[in-house]
Amino acid sequence: MSVILLLADMILIILIDSPQTRTGSNSFMHFQCCCVSVCRDRCLSSVIMSGSNSFRLRCSLAAHEMDVRGLAAAAFPHGAFVSVSRDRTARVWVPNPSENQVFTEMHCMNGHSNFVSCVCIIAPNETYPRGLIATGGHDNNICVFSLDRPDPLFTLKGHKNTVCTLSAGKFGTILSGSWDTTAKVWLGEKCMMTLQGHSAAVWAVVILPEQGLMLSGSADKTIKLWKAGRCENTYTGHEDCVRGLAVISDMEFFSCSNDASIRRWMVTGECVQVYYGHTNYIYSLAVFPNGQDFISTGEDRTLRIWRKGECSQTIRLPAQSVWCCCILPDGDIAVGASDGIIRVFTESQERVASAQDLQAFEDELSKAIIDPKTGDLGDIKIEDLPGREHLNEPGNRDGQTRLIKEGSNVEAYQWSVSDGRWVKIGDVVGGSSQQNSKRVMYEGKEYDFVFSIDVNEGGPGLKLPYNVTDDPWLTAHNFLEKNDLSPMFLDQVANFIIENTKGHTLGPAPTSATDPFTGAGRYIPGSGGGDQAFGADPFTGGGRYIPGSESTGRVSSSGADPFTGGSAYSSSSALKATTNIFFPNTDGVMFEQANTTQILGKLRELNSAAPADRKLSDAALDSLEKLLHLVADQKSQEQPTAEQISVLWRTSHWPEDIVFPVLDILRLAVRHPEVNAQLCGGTEGSSLCNHLLGLMSPEGRPANQMLALRTLCNCFSGSHGRALLLGQRDAVLSRSGDLCAVSNKNIHVALATLVLNYAGRLYGQPTEIEAKAQCLSVASTALEVVQDKEAIFRLLVALGTTVAGDSTAKDLARSLGVNSQISKYARVSDPAKVGECCRLVLDELQ
């Protein structure tokens, strides 16, 4: 059978035979060894459901600003449901009596400080006759709401990482699962017990109420049965993370997994059936009241309806990730997706959307872009595909996919039994034979870039063509010569090319007339204007000193690496533009530039005004001055003395309003092996860490917060510092994450660098998934508020380093919705390194 027929008419056979659609290493055939029977997705059969049994769109609700991560049918009002989202809200939706198809938002609840990832309904009782709503979030908390108020009745705290799944049982009990590898049982406002046994994040929990049994599914690929806090059974068979559980009866349940399979289990331990149909991760399940039929959603953009063990209908959505689903009391289906929209589907002709809305949904679907790298379609060869005439032949099953060639494009269509026609579901990009080149034609030749250079204001721009294999300096020289421009512009044009192409290394934003760390006027020797114009301290209003500012002799735009001052740019770096030069980054990034003259000047100025009991003697000042010169010169062979280090430590406890120049010396000093060993080793290390965390209090001074973060970053330069920070990782990253809310770009850059340094130390350590989960959590939280492009870039590198080579970390990132969160940066071209790094991270998460 040709590749075309496999793609067009028997696409699911590719899924069964190809490893690219799953993360497990074993073949799907393995399941036959551990199950009584295997259902090879009878979507392949010729059974066709009648049109009257097909679900069609009822309505689309532009419900949330970000991904909809959880749905649950509400106890009150009748027909209502609750949605939760990464936009940190939960919303109650009720049927609109005047419009049969539409739902109206009744209530919006806020209480989480981060993404909301799951929801469950607590059944009505005497105290709360309308029931309660429990939501779990990325802030590690569970919020419990009533329908009477927008804020929580109470908050359950105890998990040490994201709460990603909830289930409610009898008597108001709640079962929660978390990335911290535990499940917890709650009653009222108290944690009754903690269930420990999984070796990785708990992604799914469910309660079997009649028997007092509980189930948990984990990223360790197992499902555990719990009774009275003890693990009674462990179910194995899934080849990847277990993402969802659904109760069939007191004796049976379903599970779904990242291995693209759904399993039906007996509580006694037997797997009685395996269902295949999805072509990517499966995120959620819901069972119809008859206890046999069910629905599922996943990363392949589909909602699938299963009847009598068969996939009877496949509904594609114009969103990559279909995160969640629930079945409403009237039998309709609600699904939430990564585009922030809730869509409700119905079998009832009375509730089907208007013809106009149905057409709008179909139009939206037809505009979707399908990437074969997601595993849905396999490798595509345009030259072998049939043309539009292939659509004249009817399909033989609902949801059948067919690809056609339309000019130089590939279009995907799906057979709709209810409509009796092929419906376009998107354009396919990225096939092996497709021309993905985005080269630009200029003067009869193709180039990677053609820049427009404005020389004279109001005049026409000059075109500068460039290929990444060219030498930017030679290109700049030829451009100036061709256009009769002064050679004095050579550096400026060459650096423009470097900054706007893909040959970037890690580094801060280009130097400008403002200080890159404080945003205030930067000291520039010999600059015009009065002293106050560039010399005013941004924190105290006096003096010239700016914490952490660059040395005046360094020009960061020269092509040198802005972190180290070395590794000057050469044309060979342009040759590597198509490779991943960004991550994994395991070297660590330090804050090394300093102006010792300014630091000492500010230190002496503040010391002269310090309280008498805090004023340093001349000997102490001299000691700090010698230490500063010694640690600022990394080539120096001289060793710091114990007295110098002691003076530095004592002085670092100066009052918070004057301590910042001392913190700047500390920042530089911890890079020295001797200082790193003395201040970061033993009991002194804990004291240093606690002191810096105290300075990083959200209510603290921005200068101290920034310098404390930079000091922590520089501690990674020595073995004692690395050991200290890895041991204190939970406290350090938790406090650092609190500074995301501080509106200061310099703090954000330092925070991003700290996360990046942690990610670098954790690279290649798959057992450190809890630590990686915290890095992902802090990075994801920071990306919600950070605006500075350099901070964003470093966070992207941190994400890439965290997930590189670690399938579990990738799953965690996907579950956070990192893909949709960072996708907007893929189009950033200034600086180009942001867009390039983002695209590489997205590729890593495919």
Side-chain angles (χ1 to χ4, degrees):
M1 182 173 291
S2 71
V3 174
I4 307 169
L5 290 177
L6 283 171
L7 286 170
D9 293 325
M10 301 185 72
I11 186 170
L12 293 177
I13 290 180
I14 293 180
L15 169 68
I16 294 170
D17 293 335
S18 171
Q20 71 179 3
T21 57
R22 57 189 185 276
T23 56
S25 59
N26 297 324
S27 167
F28 274 59
M29 294 295 289
H30 167 76
F31 290 115
Q32 291 180 327
C33 301
C34 59
C35 301
V36 175
S37 66
V38 178
C39 175
R40 285 260 181 227
D41 180 19
R42 296 179 187 173
C43 285
L44 290 173
S45 72
S46 59
V47 177
I48 300 177
M49 301 296 293
S50 65
S52 61
N53 289 334
S54 295
F55 281 87
R56 304 179 71 191
L57 182 72
R58 174 176 175 178
C59 62
S60 297
L61 306 173
H64 291 276
E65 297 174 5
M66 302 179 73
D67 304 48
V68 179
R69 297 304 301 266
L71 292 167
F76 180 88
H78 180 72
F81 65 90
V82 183
S83 62
V84 297
S85 166
R86 288 180 67 245
D87 66 10
R88 309 184 185 190
T89 67
R91 301 172 190 263
V92 179
W93 302 87
V94 297
N96 188 331
S98 61
E99 297 182 64
N100 202 29
Q101 301 93 347
V102 181
F103 285 79
T104 302
E105 182 183 323
M106 168 188 170
H107 195 46
C108 180
M109 295 161 285
N110 296 274
H112 289 280
S113 60
N114 212 317
F115 314 147
V116 190
S117 53
C118 53
V119 59
C120 72
I121 304 301
I122 302 172
N125 54 39
E126 291 184 3
T127 307
Y128 299 103
R130 298 195 292 180
L132 296 174
I133 299 166
T135 60
H138 197 53
D139 55 7
N140 310 347
N141 297 333
I142 301 166
C143 293
V144 179
F145 299 89
S146 71
L147 287 173
D148 301 319
R149 48 194 282 187
D151 56 320
L153 289 172
F154 51 88
T155 300
L156 305 177
K157 298 186 177 184
H159 280 295
K160 296 180 180 179
N161 214 318
T162 297
V163 179
C164 51
T165 177
L166 292 170
S167 179
K170 285 186 173 182
F171 314 112
T173 56
I174 299 173
L175 177 62
S176 61
S178 167
W179 286 9
D180 64 12
T181 75
T182 71
K184 292 181 181 289
V185 182
W186 309 81
L187 181 60
E189 299 183 44
K190 294 183 179 180
C191 177
M192 307 304 293
M193 66 180 69
T194 298
L195 309 179
Q196 295 179 303
H198 287 290
S199 61
V202 177
W203 282 107
V205 295
V206 72
I207 297 176
L208 300 169
E210 297 305 320
Q211 299 186 53
L213 300 176
M214 300 177 181
L215 292 164
S216 60
S218 169
D220 63 12
K221 308 176 188 178
T222 69
I223 303 165
K224 292 185 180 294
L225 178 71
W226 305 87
K227 186 172 184 179
R230 297 187 307 273
C231 180
E232 297 286 316
N233 202 349
T234 298
Y235 309 83
T236 58
H238 278 298
E239 296 189 341
D240 209 329
C241 174
V242 179
R243 296 301 292 264
L245 296 167
V247 175
I248 302 172
S249 68
D250 282 334
M251 294 303 298
E252 291 183 280
F253 64 92
F254 286 119
S255 64
C256 64
S257 167
N258 282 359
D259 64 14
S261 76
I262 299 167
R263 289 173 169 255
R264 183 171 184 156
W265 305 84
M266 301 297 294
V267 172
T268 49
E270 300 85 9
C271 172
V272 296
Q273 200 161 22
V274 180
Y275 307 84
Y276 296 114
H278 284 278
T279 59
N280 211 317
Y281 300 158
I282 307 175
Y283 293 134
S284 68
L285 293 164
V287 182
F288 284 103
N290 65 12
Q292 297 298 317
D293 301 334
F294 61 96
I295 60 175
S296 58
T297 65
E299 185 67 16
D300 58 2
R301 307 196 309 149
T302 69
L303 158 69
R304 295 177 188 255
I305 294 94
W306 303 79
R307 297 191 187 277
K308 298 180 180 180
E310 303 166 357
C311 178
S312 64
Q313 186 179 359
T314 300
I315 301 175
R316 289 187 178 266
L317 279 76
Q320 181 62 54
S321 305
V322 189
W323 292 116
C324 52
C325 61
C326 74
I327 296 173
L328 303 180
D330 58 9
D332 288 358
I333 299 169
V335 296
S338 54
D339 58 2
I341 295 176
I342 300 168
R343 295 175 177 88
V344 181
F345 296 89
T346 183
E347 285 184 300
S348 169
Q349 291 299 314
E350 296 178 354
R351 296 193 294 271
V352 170
S354 66
Q356 182 178 359
D357 288 344
L358 289 172
Q359 186 60 51
F361 174 69
E362 184 175 325
D363 292 344
E364 186 179 12
L365 189 63
S366 70
K367 296 175 183 177
I369 301 299
I370 303 174
D371 188 345
K373 289 185 291 184
T374 61
D376 294 358
L377 304 175
D379 195 25
I380 298 169
K381 297 181 179 179
I382 290 184
E383 60 272 18
D384 293 339
L385 291 178
R388 185 167 293 277
E389 68 280 357
H390 198 44
L391 300 180
N392 295 330
E393 304 171 11
N396 58 14
R397 55 181 169 81
D398 194 81
Q400 177 185 348
T401 302
R402 182 163 288 179
L403 304 178
I404 68 162
K405 177 173 59 179
E406 183 71 11
S408 61
N409 299 322
V410 176
E411 296 179 352
Y413 287 80
Q414 176 176 287
W415 179 251
S416 169
V417 170
S418 59
D419 293 342
R421 64 189 179 92
W422 293 98
V423 177
K424 184 179 178 183
I425 58 172
D427 295 304
V428 182
V429 298
S432 62
S433 300
Q434 281 188 269
Q435 298 299 314
N436 294 318
S437 172
K438 296 182 179 179
R439 291 167 64 83
V440 182
M441 185 70 71
Y442 177 68
E443 294 183 343
K445 295 182 180 180
E446 285 189 341
Y447 293 92
D448 294 317
F449 302 90
V450 176
F451 299 109
S452 181
I453 308 296
D454 294 322
V455 179
N456 299 311
E457 185 175 357
L462 302 176
K463 299 299 181 182
L464 192 163
Y466 177 75
N467 286 316
V468 294
T469 54
D470 295 340
D471 186 316
W473 301 95
L474 180 60
T475 300
H477 170 78
N478 293 338
F479 170 77
L480 296 174
E481 188 174 78
K482 176 182 178 180
N483 292 284
D484 196 24
L485 298 173
S486 170
M488 68 177 290
F489 294 116
L490 179 64
D491 284 359
Q492 185 176 344
V493 174
N495 283 314
F496 172 87
I497 295 172
I498 295 168
E499 288 298 317
N500 287 277
T501 56
K502 300 179 181 180
H504 288 277
T505 57
L506 288 170
T511 304
S512 65
T514 58
D515 179 75
F517 304 112
T518 66
R522 173 166 64 87
Y523 173 77
I524 303 175
S527 62
D531 289 347
Q532 294 301 314
F534 287 98
D537 183 87
F539 302 107
T540 66
R544 292 181 163 213
Y545 171 75
I546 296 175
S549 60
E550 294 180 350
S551 63
T552 55
R554 188 176 305 281
V555 182
S556 64
S557 62
S558 66
D561 185 294
F563 290 128
T564 65
S567 302
Y569 176 87
S570 67
S571 60
S572 61
S573 65
L575 295 172
K576 302 177 182 178
T578 57
T579 64
N580 187 349
I581 62 173
F582 303 112
F583 60 83
N585 182 291
T586 59
D587 296 330
V589 177
M590 311 301 155
F591 292 91
E592 299 184 335
Q593 284 82 18
N595 187 308
T596 57
T597 302
Q598 292 181 11
I599 294 174
L600 291 171
K602 177 55 66 177
L603 178 65
R604 293 183 182 278
E605 173 192 335
L606 294 175
N607 185 61
S608 64
D613 60 335
R614 293 300 186 98
K615 190 169 293 188
L616 299 177
S617 65
D618 290 342
L621 282 173
D622 290 340
S623 182
L624 287 177
E625 181 175 356
K626 291 178 181 178
L627 177 63
L628 174 58
H629 287 303
L630 188 157
V631 298
D633 181 8
Q634 292 186 292
K635 297 180 180 179
S636 174
Q637 299 299 313
E638 187 179 353
Q639 294 294 311
T641 66
E643 176 60 20
Q644 290 170 343
I645 298 174
S646 177
V647 171
L648 173 63
W649 175 243
R650 292 197 308 271
T651 315
S652 70
H653 291 77
W654 257 11
E656 290 193 11
D657 59 334
I658 62 173
V659 74
F660 60 87
V662 183
L663 295 179
D664 223 354
I665 300 175
L666 179 64
R667 165 184 70 90
L668 297 167
V670 295
R671 300 173 305 147
H672 194 285
E674 183 64 23
V675 180
N676 194 280
Q678 289 202 33
L679 292 185
C680 297
T683 57
E684 290 81 5
S686 296
S687 299
L688 173 65
C689 195
N690 290 335
H691 179 48
L692 294 174
L693 293 182
L695 293 168
M696 289 162 57
S697 167
E699 296 77 30
R701 292 175 174 264
N704 297 342
Q705 294 168 337
M706 175 188 68
L707 290 169
L709 282 167
R710 291 184 179 182
T711 303
L712 290 170
C713 292
N714 286 0
C715 284
F716 277 94
S717 62
S719 59
H720 291 86
R722 291 192 290 270
L724 169 67
L725 292 182
L726 288 173
Q728 300 285 334
R729 182 257 314 156
D730 186 48
V732 171
L733 284 179
S734 294
R735 176 54 58 87
S736 302
D738 293 339
L739 297 181
C740 292
V742 177
S743 182
N744 185 302
K745 68 176 184 179
N746 314 301
I747 289 174
H748 290 166
V749 171
L751 168 61
T753 306
L754 182 63
V755 178
L756 171 55
N757 286 353
Y758 267 111
R761 299 313 306 173
L762 296 171
Y763 174 73
Q765 301 185 47
T767 59
E768 292 287 349
I769 193 60
E770 181 180 349
K772 291 187 176 186
Q774 191 176 22
C775 285
L776 289 171
S777 174
V778 174
S780 182
T781 301
L783 283 168
E784 290 296 309
V785 295
V786 168
Q787 299 294 322
D788 181 76
K789 294 293 178 58
E790 181 58 25
I792 291 169
F793 172 61
R794 297 190 189 195
L795 289 169
L796 290 171
V797 177
L799 288 173
T801 301
T802 302
V803 303
D806 190 329
S807 60
T808 304
K810 291 177 185 179
D811 290 343
L812 290 172
R814 294 185 190 105
S815 71
L816 270 176
V818 167
N819 311 54
S820 57
Q821 185 182 25
I822 68 172
S823 60
K824 61 184 177 183
Y825 300 121
R827 298 182 295 275
V828 173
S829 59
D830 183 20
K833 64 182 181 181
V834 172
E836 177 66 6
C837 185
C838 178
R839 291 190 288 273
L840 289 168
V841 176
L842 290 172
D843 286 345
E844 192 76 17
L845 293 175
Q846 288 287 355

